[in-house]
Amino acid sequence: MRILVVNVNTTQSITDSIGEQAAGAASPGTEIVPLTPSFGAESVEGNYESYLAAVAVMEAVRAYTEPFDAVIQAGYGEHGREGLQELLDVPVVDITEAAASTAQFLGRSYSVVTSLDRTVPLIEERLHVAGLSARCASVRASGLAVLDLERDERVAVDAIVEQAARAVEDDRAEVICLGCGGMSGLTERVAERTGVPVVDGVSAAVTIAESLVRLGLSTSKVRTYAPPRPKRMVNWPPVGEGRP
Amino acid sequence: MRILVVNVNTTQSITDSIGEQAAGAASPGTEIVPLTPSFGAESVEGNYESYLAAVAVMEAVRAYTEPFDAVIQAGYGEHGREGLQELLDVPVVDITEAAASTAQFLGRSYSVVTSLDRTVPLIEERLHVAGLSARCASVRASGLAVLDLERDERVAVDAIVEQAARAVEDDRAEVICLGCGGMSGLTERVAERTGVPVVDGVSAAVTIAESLVRLGLSTSKVRTYAPPRPKRMVNWPPVGEGRP
Amino acid sequence: MRILVVNVNTTQSITDSIGEQAAGAASPGTEIVPLTPSFGAESVEGNYESYLAAVAVMEAVRAYTEPFDAVIQAGYGEHGREGLQELLDVPVVDITEAAASTAQFLGRSYSVVTSLDRTVPLIEERLHVAGLSARCASVRASGLAVLDLERDERVAVDAIVEQAARAVEDDRAEVICLGCGGMSGLTERVAERTGVPVVDGVSAAVTIAESLVRLGLSTSKVRTYAPPRPKRMVNWPPVGEGRP
Amino acid sequence: MRILVVNVNTTQSITDSIGEQAAGAASPGTEIVPLTPSFGAESVEGNYESYLAAVAVMEAVRAYTEPFDAVIQAGYGEHGREGLQELLDVPVVDITEAAASTAQFLGRSYSVVTSLDRTVPLIEERLHVAGLSARCASVRASGLAVLDLERDERVAVDAIVEQAARAVEDDRAEVICLGCGGMSGLTERVAERTGVPVVDGVSAAVTIAESLVRLGLSTSKVRTYAPPRPKRMVNWPPVGEGRP
Amino acid sequence: MRILVVNVNTTQSITDSIGEQAAGAASPGTEIVPLTPSFGAESVEGNYESYLAAVAVMEAVRAYTEPFDAVIQAGYGEHGREGLQELLDVPVVDITEAAASTAQFLGRSYSVVTSLDRTVPLIEERLHVAGLSARCASVRASGLAVLDLERDERVAVDAIVEQAARAVEDDRAEVICLGCGGMSGLTERVAERTGVPVVDGVSAAVTIAESLVRLGLSTSKVRTYAPPRPKRMVNWPPVGEGRP
Amino acid sequence: MRILVVNVNTTQSITDSIGEQAAGAASPGTEIVPLTPSFGAESVEGNYESYLAAVAVMEAVRAYTEPFDAVIQAGYGEHGREGLQELLDVPVVDITEAAASTAQFLGRSYSVVTSLDRTVPLIEERLHVAGLSARCASVRASGLAVLDLERDERVAVDAIVEQAARAVEDDRAEVICLGCGGMSGLTERVAERTGVPVVDGVSAAVTIAESLVRLGLSTSKVRTYAPPRPKRMVNWPPVGEGRP
């Protein structure tokens, strides 16, 4: 089974780290193919960048010419999953939803700890749209920009643990989701220091994608995610390798 | 005052019709500038096309070099308004929200009559995200594709009136919103035949945009819609006139 | 176009201040007619007084014998708007709803800063009934009685700004609505000191009423706001000039 | 113990019928005092009339000079209960809430069958404000005006039973509340023909008012229902026997 | 009239205290029969113990061979009420719901003060299922285990009052429900010290059960609470006096 | 990895069928151990039987003396999952939640088709408690008792398909969950005839349980699902093999 794991940022090192995390969660026999969009922001931290990433991720998947069995959109709180579901016959799993859905099996409520304060509303809205907000205790910002996460892991873990602890104590969360693709590698250290289960969305998404494939299930095409109707597209898709 | 009214479809005749409708609703002294995106689908009827339109609309506005006072996104149930709000200092008004917001002053509940069944969920989600769904009685599809609306207005009016009547009778709507930029010219005929107020989103958006400008109000920059952080963009913005 | 702006309090100086604020927001050619109820409390700060004001406002409008194009109910969180909608064919705009509806175009969430703590629940319930509470971050009391607002504007601005700042910081509001007709004149000073858009309900209501009139839209008469059925009224309407 | 049961309509025969129903539900030793407002509509069927009734009921209670232990507002879906709670130290029970609250002990969901279609929204909003709508399956109109209920009981029972049956079958209600003070005498006949528990709000309110008095409980005065602040009232209260 | 009041804990002294409280609230002519389950935990403080108590309570009622008119389940936030409703033709009243329902007549919002932090979620879920959570301001834990409540009443009252005060001040509750059958005797002392109405669920349940019996109302058998279908039960009911 | 799959009914043939379905979905190396409770109803179709099953399932798991890695509760809409989570350190997966959670990755909304009408409310409440009801379009009954499902598969498939088709057409479901452990074997036939993805809860639960184990995640013990406190249990646990 081959699963595409698509970064929403155009920074290759993040793609590498996400790919590594995904591979670590995959079953024997699953091939993880990490993809980087050919256009967009080096780090996605807001609506403009996220809408652009939505399109870039779709084009990256369309430009991939080998067969594959499932796609993971590896951005937390980002737009675009619904478009991928229209374009593809194979299952599409968003890491925001994968993490929340997994967390709900582990405790009565969960919180998300993400990067910057400005991304909190995006995550809240995506959970709302996905029908996964009823048991979300809070979405909290660590204050770290996406690219800062890579710079000093100790600082990153400290900032995340601080917010996770407040989520457990003040917001009554019982599980923590790491709300940024770039936090994937920090799961264990955060779990050790908070004493509650910590869910990494990338790993969770890999197991869910594998499960859907194994169960022979894929996106319903009956209404919302039916394939786009045939029509004239102006100046799109972009020419060559998914690049506009 | 100059207001940009941006079509989400790349079909010029729809832009013309939207522009005409907007001009009809504008106050003396307001200049309406209709814009057509330089890339994307001839008609937007689904998530893939809508995400693409979101980006195309943003680039169309960025490519406009004259000063302007407000922007109207003239697509019903489409993605993207939040991105425009980040990019701009002037008010941004989405016609989905303008219509619903206006309808709420006219009756206890409203319904939206849109084009195809597959676009119903998009509209529902946008109203949900906008916090305008509590008084939405239903979103109903006329079964007409966006481009069909232009072909035979009598057929279009009949199909819309049929659903509007059911919304009033069965769903207990008291106001009807026409849920497609391309329906703008049909408002009066639908109102005559249904006996309830009928709101055209484009016209409503023009009055709201004018009001915000007159009141000196614009998008809050304190958190969600703060300008994008300065960062490296890969292969973007596209070169030349907003075209990828 | 003539718009009646009806104070809910029987204090003439508040009517004057509301009228002035409304006139400042009106377009050229719009005549603002401020009205004071002929009976009721000098300041409305609770349910008993608010129900009484609801009836007094309706009688004040009924006693007005000249033609008019729209009515604004200029009390924040007060009862009665639905009754006016039954009695009149012209649009009715409540300032609570006008402010919230306008705020929703400016940010992802808004807070209301009002006068006394005891009026907070009334505002919350009116927003709830109006379907405008989903994006309401909080309703906060400044602790100032309605009549205190007129006594020392500096004290009033300080008290409002303190709560507005906490709404932005703690409740994550992005826009502030001034929740009392008597606060109308303070908008600019509060906006300067908080750094977020501040909406005055009276001004917002004027632009909305003008917009509805210009668009030829008025209250749906199909169900909830149909005219009262003809029937015997006992000892009502009161005799002479709207006075019981 | 003495309980005031206040009609919202100014029709004496309805007061008599409500009083009789209340007396039938009262414990030995409880005195029921039925009151008719001194002004307002002969039958309350809409917002204007309901707001007027709210004030008239409050004045009727204020004009009652003997001591009493509790007050029942005997109008279904009417405004005003909150005002009475401010004015009084004794418990106030609204029949809309009494019926719903009682119904919730009898089945998983309940429906209300009321008089005219136009009163449905008022009842829905009052249940919403009271926090009792989560288990409300539907509010249905029998199509009978309030005064028609008295004319031909057989016709009334038939019309109510028809809607009750649809509520049970289509809306999955398990209990029926009779949604009009004037329906109080029909409870048994409706229950016999529908096979589900039928709750009369007046009777339910009497037992709840008695219970609160026996338990020594009354309205919290800590915030929302604190007594009105001392202030200048203009032309109010009306002179003589609660008449304006 | 005879009302069974069933403790959920197997500790006889708690049954005694609950029975005494119930008897104090009962009308003349009402006989209170307190029952202790024959199996289960000495104090119920979590889901495992609560599910066991649900079954033990049902068996205790089944083992009671005299006629009775109503049943009260005297555990706060416990499972099982729905099962009793299926088994019995007489009304069933849960003290969690009785307290909340009563509190809603006394103020705009209520809080529950319970024993241990771990029982907070159980109470929240039962209120949610019962449709009584819309006006619940908070559920707060005193930190006292059920059996501690009996040890030192002064300590118990202090701990409860502290949380009640925070509920009123911080969560804006206007009424307090004592959220543990074992707190029944402390109502007056807590009320005195908090200045808001305090509701004891056992007392409230007695008046509600009496009211339902007097009104001739009982559980709807039309769907959810229909009697169990006749079927083969394996190794159940247990042999002898409700003991497994 | 060893996963216990516990039937809620005491009918062995259902256990066998569930076990077979689970084994079919398991990865190589996963051992499925099907368990039948030692007491309770032959088929669980209501609250009384469901509460009894909750306890019987817990005792069946406690009586199992070999090590295991996860537990699946294989009853649709049944009580008890929270108790198992308190008792165990390994992950617990309920098939109601597993199916819904999986369905949410496949379409915008899902419906459940279950056995008898009387079980519909139980399923709705469990989805509500689990925070999975926002995208639930409907829960529909096929009208078949649990034991009927085994008698004639063709009749069963017809009845399920009829309701599934109405769920897709009328309720706008995009995915169907088979709402009864006994329906597990019918998934493919229903999927073929409805044209939308059909989720079997047992299979879904197996993949989720495996995923949680592989990711090293288990129930949070920080609050709601902490182990029961040490205390005196009266006449429980039952003596010998989980039998009372």
Side-chain angles (χ1 to χ4, degrees), chain B residues 87-125:
Chain B
L87 292 177
L88 303 175
D89 287 327
V90 300
V92 175
V93 180
D94 177 280
I95 65 167
T96 323
E97 300 169 19
S101 190
T102 298
Q104 294 190 160
F105 286 104
L106 303 172
R108 186 170 172 264
S109 61
Y110 69 90
S111 283
V112 178
V113 180
T114 186
S115 52
L116 299 177
D117 190 47
R118 68 178 293 159
T119 67
V120 169
L122 281 92
I123 294 173
E124 289 176 348
E125 283 181 8

Short mmCIF file of all heavy atoms in Angstrom, two decimals, chain B residues 87-125:
data_model
loop_
_atom_site.label_atom_id
_atom_site.label_comp_id
_atom_site.label_asym_id
_atom_site.label_seq_id
_atom_site.Cartn_x
_atom_site.Cartn_y
_atom_site.Cartn_z
N LEU B 87 -5.32 40.03 3.73
CA LEU B 87 -4.52 40.77 2.75
C LEU B 87 -4.84 42.26 2.71
O LEU B 87 -4.01 43.06 2.32
CB LEU B 87 -4.74 40.18 1.35
CG LEU B 87 -4.20 38.78 1.09
CD1 LEU B 87 -4.56 38.33 -0.31
CD2 LEU B 87 -2.67 38.74 1.29
N LEU B 88 -6.08 42.61 3.08
CA LEU B 88 -6.54 43.97 2.82
C LEU B 88 -6.80 44.75 4.10
O LEU B 88 -7.14 44.19 5.14
CB LEU B 88 -7.84 43.92 2.01
CG LEU B 88 -7.78 43.18 0.67
CD1 LEU B 88 -9.16 43.11 0.05
CD2 LEU B 88 -6.79 43.87 -0.28
N ASP B 89 -6.69 46.07 3.98
CA ASP B 89 -7.06 46.94 5.09
C ASP B 89 -8.50 47.42 4.96
O ASP B 89 -9.06 47.92 5.93
CB ASP B 89 -6.13 48.17 5.12
CG ASP B 89 -4.76 47.78 5.63
OD1 ASP B 89 -4.67 46.87 6.48
OD2 ASP B 89 -3.76 48.37 5.16
N VAL B 90 -9.07 47.29 3.78
CA VAL B 90 -10.44 47.76 3.58
C VAL B 90 -11.42 46.62 3.88
O VAL B 90 -11.05 45.45 3.88
CB VAL B 90 -10.64 48.27 2.13
CG1 VAL B 90 -9.68 49.42 1.85
CG2 VAL B 90 -10.47 47.14 1.13
N PRO B 91 -12.70 46.97 4.10
CA PRO B 91 -13.68 45.93 4.43
C PRO B 91 -13.89 44.93 3.29
O PRO B 91 -13.81 45.30 2.12
CB PRO B 91 -14.98 46.72 4.64
CG PRO B 91 -14.58 48.13 4.87
CD PRO B 91 -13.28 48.32 4.16
N VAL B 92 -14.12 43.70 3.66
CA VAL B 92 -14.40 42.62 2.72
C VAL B 92 -15.79 42.07 3.05
O VAL B 92 -16.07 41.75 4.20
CB VAL B 92 -13.37 41.48 2.86
CG1 VAL B 92 -13.73 40.31 1.94
CG2 VAL B 92 -11.97 41.99 2.56
N VAL B 93 -16.65 41.97 2.05
CA VAL B 93 -18.00 41.47 2.28
C VAL B 93 -18.28 40.31 1.34
O VAL B 93 -18.12 40.43 0.13
CB VAL B 93 -19.05 42.58 2.09
CG1 VAL B 93 -20.46 42.04 2.33
CG2 VAL B 93 -18.78 43.76 3.02
N ASP B 94 -18.66 39.19 1.92
CA ASP B 94 -19.01 38.00 1.15
C ASP B 94 -20.52 38.01 0.91
O ASP B 94 -21.29 38.29 1.83
CB ASP B 94 -18.60 36.78 1.98
CG ASP B 94 -18.97 35.47 1.32
OD1 ASP B 94 -20.15 35.08 1.42
OD2 ASP B 94 -18.09 34.86 0.70
N ILE B 95 -20.94 37.69 -0.31
CA ILE B 95 -22.38 37.81 -0.59
C ILE B 95 -23.23 36.78 0.15
O ILE B 95 -24.38 37.03 0.46
CB ILE B 95 -22.71 37.76 -2.10
CG1 ILE B 95 -22.38 36.40 -2.72
CG2 ILE B 95 -22.03 38.89 -2.85
CD1 ILE B 95 -22.98 36.24 -4.13
N THR B 96 -22.65 35.64 0.49
CA THR B 96 -23.39 34.64 1.27
C THR B 96 -23.78 35.23 2.62
O THR B 96 -24.92 35.08 3.08
CB THR B 96 -22.49 33.42 1.55
OG1 THR B 96 -21.68 33.15 0.42
CG2 THR B 96 -23.32 32.21 1.94
N GLU B 97 -22.82 35.86 3.24
CA GLU B 97 -23.04 36.44 4.56
C GLU B 97 -23.87 37.71 4.47
O GLU B 97 -24.70 37.97 5.35
CB GLU B 97 -21.69 36.71 5.23
CG GLU B 97 -20.89 35.41 5.38
CD GLU B 97 -19.43 35.61 5.78
OE1 GLU B 97 -19.10 36.69 6.28
OE2 GLU B 97 -18.63 34.68 5.57
N ALA B 98 -23.67 38.48 3.42
CA ALA B 98 -24.44 39.71 3.26
C ALA B 98 -25.92 39.38 3.12
O ALA B 98 -26.78 40.02 3.73
CB ALA B 98 -23.95 40.47 2.03
N ALA B 99 -26.23 38.38 2.34
CA ALA B 99 -27.62 38.02 2.12
C ALA B 99 -28.25 37.49 3.42
O ALA B 99 -29.35 37.91 3.81
CB ALA B 99 -27.73 36.96 1.03
N ALA B 100 -27.55 36.59 4.10
CA ALA B 100 -28.10 36.02 5.33
C ALA B 100 -28.29 37.08 6.39
O ALA B 100 -29.31 37.14 7.09
CB ALA B 100 -27.18 34.91 5.85
N SER B 101 -27.29 37.92 6.52
CA SER B 101 -27.32 38.98 7.52
C SER B 101 -28.49 39.92 7.26
O SER B 101 -29.19 40.35 8.19
CB SER B 101 -25.98 39.70 7.47
OG SER B 101 -25.84 40.57 8.54
N THR B 102 -28.71 40.25 6.01
CA THR B 102 -29.83 41.13 5.64
C THR B 102 -31.16 40.42 5.87
O THR B 102 -32.11 41.01 6.40
CB THR B 102 -29.68 41.55 4.16
OG1 THR B 102 -28.46 42.28 4.02
CG2 THR B 102 -30.85 42.41 3.71
N ALA B 103 -31.22 39.17 5.49
CA ALA B 103 -32.47 38.41 5.65
C ALA B 103 -32.92 38.36 7.11
O ALA B 103 -34.11 38.39 7.41
CB ALA B 103 -32.29 36.99 5.11
N GLN B 104 -31.94 38.31 8.01
CA GLN B 104 -32.28 38.21 9.43
C GLN B 104 -32.99 39.46 9.97
O GLN B 104 -33.62 39.39 11.00
CB GLN B 104 -31.02 37.88 10.25
CG GLN B 104 -30.49 36.51 9.91
CD GLN B 104 -29.38 35.99 10.82
OE1 GLN B 104 -29.15 34.79 10.88
NE2 GLN B 104 -28.69 36.87 11.52
N PHE B 105 -32.86 40.57 9.26
CA PHE B 105 -33.61 41.76 9.68
C PHE B 105 -35.05 41.75 9.16
O PHE B 105 -35.85 42.59 9.54
CB PHE B 105 -32.91 43.04 9.19
CG PHE B 105 -31.67 43.35 9.95
CD1 PHE B 105 -30.41 43.11 9.43
CD2 PHE B 105 -31.75 43.87 11.24
CE1 PHE B 105 -29.26 43.38 10.15
CE2 PHE B 105 -30.60 44.14 11.98
CZ PHE B 105 -29.36 43.89 11.44
N LEU B 106 -35.35 40.79 8.31
CA LEU B 106 -36.65 40.81 7.61
C LEU B 106 -37.62 39.73 8.07
O LEU B 106 -38.81 39.80 7.76
CB LEU B 106 -36.41 40.65 6.11
CG LEU B 106 -35.48 41.68 5.47
CD1 LEU B 106 -35.17 41.29 4.04
CD2 LEU B 106 -36.09 43.08 5.54
N GLY B 107 -37.13 38.71 8.74
CA GLY B 107 -38.02 37.64 9.16
C GLY B 107 -37.33 36.78 10.19
O GLY B 107 -36.13 36.90 10.41
N ARG B 108 -38.09 35.90 10.79
CA ARG B 108 -37.53 35.09 11.86
C ARG B 108 -36.60 34.01 11.33
O ARG B 108 -35.71 33.55 12.03
CB ARG B 108 -38.65 34.43 12.65
CG ARG B 108 -38.15 33.70 13.86
CD ARG B 108 -39.29 33.28 14.75
NE ARG B 108 -38.83 32.41 15.80
CZ ARG B 108 -38.87 31.07 15.74
NH1 ARG B 108 -39.35 30.46 14.68
NH2 ARG B 108 -38.43 30.35 16.75
N SER B 109 -36.77 33.59 10.10
CA SER B 109 -35.89 32.57 9.52
C SER B 109 -35.86 32.76 8.01
O SER B 109 -36.76 33.35 7.44
CB SER B 109 -36.41 31.18 9.84
OG SER B 109 -37.70 31.01 9.29
N TYR B 110 -34.79 32.29 7.42
CA TYR B 110 -34.63 32.44 5.97
C TYR B 110 -34.17 31.12 5.36
O TYR B 110 -33.61 30.28 6.06
CB TYR B 110 -33.61 33.54 5.67
CG TYR B 110 -32.19 33.16 6.05
CD1 TYR B 110 -31.33 32.52 5.15
CD2 TYR B 110 -31.71 33.41 7.33
CE1 TYR B 110 -30.05 32.16 5.52
CE2 TYR B 110 -30.43 33.04 7.71
CZ TYR B 110 -29.61 32.41 6.80
OH TYR B 110 -28.34 32.03 7.16
N SER B 111 -34.43 30.95 4.10
CA SER B 111 -33.87 29.82 3.36
C SER B 111 -33.06 30.35 2.19
O SER B 111 -33.30 31.46 1.72
CB SER B 111 -34.97 28.89 2.83
OG SER B 111 -35.48 28.09 3.87
N VAL B 112 -32.12 29.53 1.75
CA VAL B 112 -31.34 29.86 0.57
C VAL B 112 -31.77 28.92 -0.55
O VAL B 112 -31.90 27.72 -0.33
CB VAL B 112 -29.82 29.66 0.85
CG1 VAL B 112 -29.00 29.97 -0.39
CG2 VAL B 112 -29.38 30.51 2.04
N VAL B 113 -32.02 29.46 -1.73
CA VAL B 113 -32.25 28.61 -2.90
C VAL B 113 -31.06 28.78 -3.83
O VAL B 113 -30.76 29.89 -4.26
CB VAL B 113 -33.56 28.96 -3.62
CG1 VAL B 113 -33.76 28.05 -4.84
CG2 VAL B 113 -34.75 28.83 -2.68
N THR B 114 -30.38 27.67 -4.06
CA THR B 114 -29.13 27.74 -4.82
C THR B 114 -29.25 26.95 -6.13
O THR B 114 -30.35 26.60 -6.55
CB THR B 114 -27.95 27.24 -3.97
OG1 THR B 114 -26.73 27.45 -4.68
CG2 THR B 114 -28.08 25.77 -3.61
N SER B 115 -28.11 26.69 -6.74
CA SER B 115 -28.09 26.02 -8.04
C SER B 115 -28.16 24.50 -7.87
O SER B 115 -29.25 23.94 -7.75
CB SER B 115 -26.82 26.44 -8.80
OG SER B 115 -25.66 26.23 -7.98
N LEU B 116 -27.04 23.82 -7.84
CA LEU B 116 -27.02 22.36 -7.80
C LEU B 116 -27.02 21.80 -6.39
O LEU B 116 -26.48 22.42 -5.47
CB LEU B 116 -25.77 21.84 -8.52
CG LEU B 116 -25.65 22.20 -10.01
CD1 LEU B 116 -24.32 21.68 -10.55
CD2 LEU B 116 -26.81 21.61 -10.79
N ASP B 117 -27.57 20.61 -6.25
CA ASP B 117 -27.60 19.91 -4.97
C ASP B 117 -26.22 19.81 -4.33
O ASP B 117 -26.07 19.93 -3.11
CB ASP B 117 -28.15 18.50 -5.22
CG ASP B 117 -28.47 17.76 -3.95
OD1 ASP B 117 -29.12 18.37 -3.06
OD2 ASP B 117 -28.08 16.59 -3.83
N ARG B 118 -25.19 19.62 -5.12
CA ARG B 118 -23.86 19.41 -4.57
C ARG B 118 -23.29 20.66 -3.91
O ARG B 118 -22.30 20.58 -3.19
CB ARG B 118 -22.89 18.91 -5.64
CG ARG B 118 -22.61 19.95 -6.71
CD ARG B 118 -21.60 19.42 -7.72
NE ARG B 118 -20.31 19.23 -7.11
CZ ARG B 118 -19.36 18.44 -7.58
NH1 ARG B 118 -19.58 17.73 -8.67
NH2 ARG B 118 -18.20 18.34 -6.99
N THR B 119 -23.87 21.82 -4.19
CA THR B 119 -23.34 23.04 -3.56
C THR B 119 -24.04 23.35 -2.24
O THR B 119 -23.61 24.25 -1.51
CB THR B 119 -23.47 24.26 -4.50
OG1 THR B 119 -24.86 24.56 -4.67
CG2 THR B 119 -22.87 23.98 -5.86
N VAL B 120 -25.10 22.62 -1.95
CA VAL B 120 -25.82 22.85 -0.68
C VAL B 120 -24.89 22.74 0.53
O VAL B 120 -24.88 23.62 1.40
CB VAL B 120 -27.03 21.89 -0.56
CG1 VAL B 120 -27.62 21.92 0.85
CG2 VAL B 120 -28.10 22.25 -1.59
N PRO B 121 -24.09 21.66 0.62
CA PRO B 121 -23.22 21.55 1.80
C PRO B 121 -22.21 22.69 1.92
O PRO B 121 -21.88 23.11 3.03
CB PRO B 121 -22.50 20.21 1.59
CG PRO B 121 -23.38 19.44 0.64
CD PRO B 121 -24.02 20.47 -0.24
N LEU B 122 -21.72 23.19 0.80
CA LEU B 122 -20.75 24.30 0.87
C LEU B 122 -21.41 25.53 1.49
O LEU B 122 -20.81 26.21 2.34
CB LEU B 122 -20.22 24.66 -0.52
CG LEU B 122 -19.13 23.75 -1.09
CD1 LEU B 122 -19.72 22.64 -1.92
CD2 LEU B 122 -18.15 24.56 -1.89
N ILE B 123 -22.62 25.81 1.06
CA ILE B 123 -23.32 26.98 1.60
C ILE B 123 -23.61 26.77 3.09
O ILE B 123 -23.39 27.67 3.91
CB ILE B 123 -24.61 27.24 0.80
CG1 ILE B 123 -24.24 27.64 -0.63
CG2 ILE B 123 -25.47 28.31 1.48
CD1 ILE B 123 -25.43 27.77 -1.56
N GLU B 124 -24.07 25.59 3.42
CA GLU B 124 -24.35 25.31 4.84
C GLU B 124 -23.11 25.52 5.70
O GLU B 124 -23.18 26.08 6.79
CB GLU B 124 -24.86 23.88 5.00
CG GLU B 124 -26.27 23.68 4.47
CD GLU B 124 -26.76 22.24 4.55
OE1 GLU B 124 -25.93 21.34 4.82
OE2 GLU B 124 -27.96 22.00 4.34
N GLU B 125 -21.98 25.06 5.19
CA GLU B 125 -20.75 25.20 6.00
C GLU B 125 -20.28 26.64 6.12
O GLU B 125 -19.80 27.06 7.17
CB GLU B 125 -19.64 24.29 5.45
CG GLU B 125 -19.90 22.86 5.87
CD GLU B 125 -18.86 21.87 5.41
OE1 GLU B 125 -17.81 22.27 4.89
OE2 GLU B 125 -19.11 20.66 5.59
#
